[in-house]
Structure formats: C-alpha cells, structure tokens
Amino acid sequence: MRHLSLEALLSFLDNPEGDGIIASYCSHDSKDRDVAVILGQAVLERAAALVCAGISALLSLTGAGRDAQQPAVLSLYGTGTQSSRLMALLEQRLESFTAGVLGHHCRLYHHPHSPFPGAAAAYLLNKSAASAT
C-alpha cells in the first residue's frame, strides 16, 4: 500500500470488518485488525493534535478568543471536517488545551463544499462580536 487516504482510514474505523482496502489487508487475522484499529485511531488523534497546535498558534499570535463569551470563529475546510470522528477529537483538544491551558476560545464553522461560506460566516460572526464590545 503506497497511499492511504483519509476516507479509507475513516471507512475502516467505522467498519473494521467491511470490504475497504485496510479491512481487506486485515481480513485473515483478527489480531491484525485490532492493531490496525489502534493505529488508525492513533493517526486520527495525532492529526487532531497537529491541527489543534496550528489553531492554538494562530489564536495566540493574534490574541483572538481571549473572552470565552466572544470566541474566535474559525472557518475550516477539507475532507477531515466532514468526519464527525475527527472533528470530535479536534474539539476535545481545543477545549482541553487551547481553551483550558492557553485561555483562547474558538468556535469552528465548516462547510463541506466550499471554503467561501465558512469564511464569510466567520468574518461576519467575528465582526459582529467585535462591534458588540
């Protein structure tokens, strides 16, 4: 296997005994499947940690989201934002680390088809929050 897409990984984690590419590699031994599930989950957790680090750096550098009542609104775009599993991991990291440790609060907005609706919504929500102060 030379390339593993996010879709293939998510499909496997949703149905480890299915007919996807990863499941087919693990179909002969349940121990292989168990290890693949553990590794797949670790990959998603690492991805969420890296995205959280990037968002945390952005909020820290800009000073946005210091007030929990007026969190920064961030527009996210990409395949990963369509995964409730990955988004849940990211939101947990943002809550525990970015808000809990760093004191920067944010809301995530994502649209599956285009970055423009998300960017527009983030702009309007951030602008209205700034004008309310």
Side-chain angles (χ1 to χ4, degrees):
M1 188 178 338
R2 298 181 69 191
H3 173 75
L4 178 62
S5 69
L6 178 60
E7 293 86 3
L9 178 58
L10 293 170
S11 173
F12 171 71
L13 291 174
D14 288 341
N15 186 10
E17 295 180 18
D19 59 355
I21 188 160
I22 301 172
S24 68
Y25 279 104
C26 303
S27 63
H28 303 294
D29 188 345
S30 65
K31 291 179 186 176
D32 288 346
R33 186 177 318 120
D34 294 342
V35 169
V37 167
I38 291 168
L39 287 173
Q41 186 63 27
V43 166
L44 288 185
E45 289 174 10
R46 182 66 176 159
L50 291 172
V51 172
C52 177
I55 290 173
S56 297
L58 175 71
L59 295 175
S60 293
L61 287 171
T62 62
R66 279 285 183 199
D67 183 352
Q69 300 303 315
Q70 295 180 337
V73 179
L74 302 174
S75 173
L76 301 182
Y77 172 71
T79 304
T81 64
Q82 296 174 30
S83 165
S84 59
R85 181 187 301 262
L86 186 54
M87 290 303 293
L89 291 170
L90 175 58
E91 288 170 358
Q92 289 170 359
R93 294 273 182 165
L94 290 170
E95 182 65 31
S96 64
F97 179 73
T98 309
V101 174
L102 299 178
H104 289 277
H105 306 272
C106 64
R107 281 191 323 186
L108 302 178
Y109 179 88
H110 54 94
H111 190 276
H113 302 296
S114 172
F116 298 115
Y123 173 78
L124 291 173
L125 290 170
N126 284 328
K127 185 176 177 180
S128 66
S131 64
T133 57

